[in-house]
Amino acid sequence: NAGVTQTPKFRVLKTGQSMTLLCAQDMNHEYMYWYRQDPGMGLRLIHYSVGEGTTAKGEVPDGYNVSRLKKQNFLLGLESAAPSQTSVYFCASNLAGGPIQYFGAGTRLSVL
Amino acid sequence: SQQGEEDPQALSIQEGENATMNCSYKTSINNLQWYRQNSGRGLVHLILIRSNEREKHSGRLRVTLDTSKKSSSLLITASRAADTASYFCATGAGETSGSRLTFGEGTQLTVNP
């Protein structure tokens, strides 16, 4: 009963490098979300998806891209990492119309 | 900008005492939820209250909602050391917004044994 799984758990990047964070859920949820969490700022929505093949911008989308090629997977990409993207990233999912979101354990990213 | 503001930012109490956290928000909502985050972990849903409800209970948790004041409170009764965590309120505008949630900045609760 895995729920929402994020990989990797930790990553250190140099400025300008690229990487992809993977989120996988096994609950057959339609909706998926990517958040970032910074000290003193709570969680902010980066991008979200309401179904396979669809994505939309959240509150802080600049510098990130996403893809939802399969219903169970939601990828977050950083094309050219910047120190301002140092953060903890959380993925979440829920059923269409269901208000409760289920979270992964997070990915801690440092950009030097 | 954040929808919710939480108060206090940090709260330290003794085991057995009650803990009260407050959340204020700015726009109309469909529901308000409280989540818990243990250090280094993801968020876990605790309780949801809909905009047409005023109070809800779940075990040692009691949530109130005052839509006229755009505020909510979470009460944890008879606290335990294991309740030590960060608590976040999150507001939802409903299905028309893709079930998106807007989170507050959180309250760090420390329960001392």
Side-chain angles (χ1 to χ4, degrees):
Chain A
N1 192 5
V4 179
T5 302
Q6 292 184 232
T7 53
K9 289 184 170 49
F10 304 95
R11 185 74 185 268
V12 178
L13 290 179
K14 294 181 179 179
T15 297
Q17 288 185 318
S18 63
M19 78 162 293
T20 300
L21 282 66
L22 170 65
C23 177
Q25 51 92 7
D26 62 1
M27 298 175 283
N28 203 33
H29 286 170
E30 289 83 6
Y31 295 0
M32 297 185 75
Y33 311 83
W34 276 108
Y35 296 91
R36 61 178 288 171
Q37 184 178 33
D38 301 294
M41 299 193 72
L43 274 74
R44 292 182 292 168
L45 183 64
I46 303 171
H47 286 280
Y48 66 103
S49 168
V50 297
E52 185 178 323
T54 70
T55 62
K57 294 179 180 180
E59 183 184 358
V60 288
D62 293 343
Y64 305 94
N65 57 75
V66 289
S67 63
R68 183 102 182 265
L69 299 180
K70 294 182 178 181
K71 184 177 183 179
Q72 64 267 34
N73 295 338
F74 195 27
L75 305 178
L76 178 70
L78 286 72
E79 289 186 349
S80 180
S84 61
Q85 294 177 305
T86 293
S87 188
V88 182
Y89 292 85
F90 288 98
C91 176
S93 70
N94 63 348
L95 290 167
I100 299 170
Q101 293 184 12
Y102 297 83
F103 283 80
T107 295
R108 188 173 296 274
L109 175 67
S110 293
V111 183
L112 306 179
Chain B
S1 61
Q2 295 295 107
Q3 160 80 309
E5 295 183 0
E6 295 188 54
D7 168 57
Q9 288 187 335
L11 180 61
S12 181
I13 59 174
Q14 296 299 122
E15 222 170 13
E17 294 181 339
N18 295 341
T20 300
M21 289 160 267
N22 303 296
C23 170
S24 60
Y25 57 93
K26 298 174 183 174
T27 61
S28 61
I29 62 171
N30 174 276
N31 65 81
L32 187 144
Q33 303 176 45
W34 286 89
Y35 286 79
R36 166 191 169 129
Q37 183 181 34
N38 288 78
S39 181
R41 308 293 294 273
L43 278 72
V44 176
H45 174 81
L46 292 176
I47 192 167
L48 176 150
I49 186 166
R50 299 196 181 279
S51 59
N52 61 353
E53 297 175 310
R54 292 297 168 258
E55 187 171 314
K56 203 152 184 191
H57 297 255
S58 177
R60 295 185 294 114
L61 304 180
R62 172 178 170 256
V63 172
T64 61
L65 179 64
D66 187 336
T67 53
S68 66
K69 295 182 179 179
K70 291 186 168 59
S71 67
S72 173
S73 67
L74 171 68
L75 169 67
I76 304 174
T77 61
S79 63
R80 305 165 182 168
D83 293 329
T84 294
S86 292
Y87 292 82
F88 294 88
C89 68
T91 54
E95 176 64 17
T96 55
S97 69
S99 294
R100 284 176 291 170
L101 295 176
T102 304
F103 286 84
E105 297 171 1
T107 294
Q108 172 62 53
L109 173 65
T110 301
V111 181
N112 301 298

